[in-house]
Amino acid sequence: MLKVDPEHGPLVPMLLVLTVVTGVVDAVSYLALGHVFVANMTGNVVFLGFALAGAPGLSATASLAALAAFLLGALAGGHLSRHLSGHRGRLLTVAVAVQAVFVAVSVLLAAAAGHTSGGARYPLIVVLAFAMGGQNAVVRALKVPDLTTTVLTMTLTALAADRTGLRRLASAVWMFAGALLGALLVLHASVPTALALALALLVAVAALIHHAARPTPAPAWTQRR
């Protein structure tokens, strides 16, 4: 079990929950939106190369759409991070609340139009990738070591090379849990159900961080790093 980190307070468990969200939405995008990622851009760059080489089952257009939307989301997240840089609790609360709005739009879109329709697939990719780009930029600005919420390659490398780091191990486990939950819901329930789970997790994170950051004077963990 992870100990409470006095330097980062509730940010550590909350970022682990966001790691679960990443696993869920990437399960939705890969399994239901045509083998594309909305959070893992390394995968999309590789898929783009495969698609341009003529590999079946992959779409260069989908990968490019996800990459473009992710970059726009990261741009917006970076702007928000600079604007709210003095209070990490407020930054994460606002960022996750905005992200929840985009995921809510994806839930409604998937429920109303269906994820397999031509008119819904690309809007879903764009909305979700934009939301995850914003998450990445804000998490980067929070500067909590070993918790990127999306990229595990360097985390796993550090875990093996240094042979230390419960936080690194937890990050991988929670990503796996999110991917498993997302896949189970996509395959045995529905895409809107999987996205609704991601939405519920985001709302919970925003509410909990808002509550934790309310005391005056501001808790030490909210200070800029």
Side-chain angles (χ1 to χ4, degrees), residues 42-126:
T42 302
N44 278 332
V45 171
V46 173
F47 287 166
L48 177 61
F50 292 168
L52 292 175
L58 297 173
S59 168
T61 305
S63 293
L64 286 171
L67 283 164
F70 184 92
L71 290 173
L72 287 174
L75 182 66
H79 176 76
L80 183 65
S81 298
R82 289 186 292 274
H83 184 66
L84 297 176
S85 61
H87 195 294
R88 295 198 297 172
R90 190 173 298 119
L91 170 59
L92 187 58
T93 299
V94 173
V96 173
V98 172
Q99 184 181 4
V101 171
F102 279 89
V103 175
V105 170
S106 75
V107 173
L108 295 175
L109 186 60
H115 64 277
T116 57
S117 69
R121 179 190 176 200
Y122 282 98
L124 280 170
I125 290 172
V126 168

Side-chain angles (χ1 to χ4, degrees), residues 21-38:
V21 171
T22 295
V24 171
V25 297
D26 261 349
V28 169
S29 65
Y30 185 83
L31 296 174
L33 300 180
H35 293 178
V36 63
F37 288 119
V38 292

Side-chain angles (χ1 to χ4, degrees), residues 8 57 74 146 150 163:
H8 302 294
D146 300 321
T150 56
R163 293 178 291 178

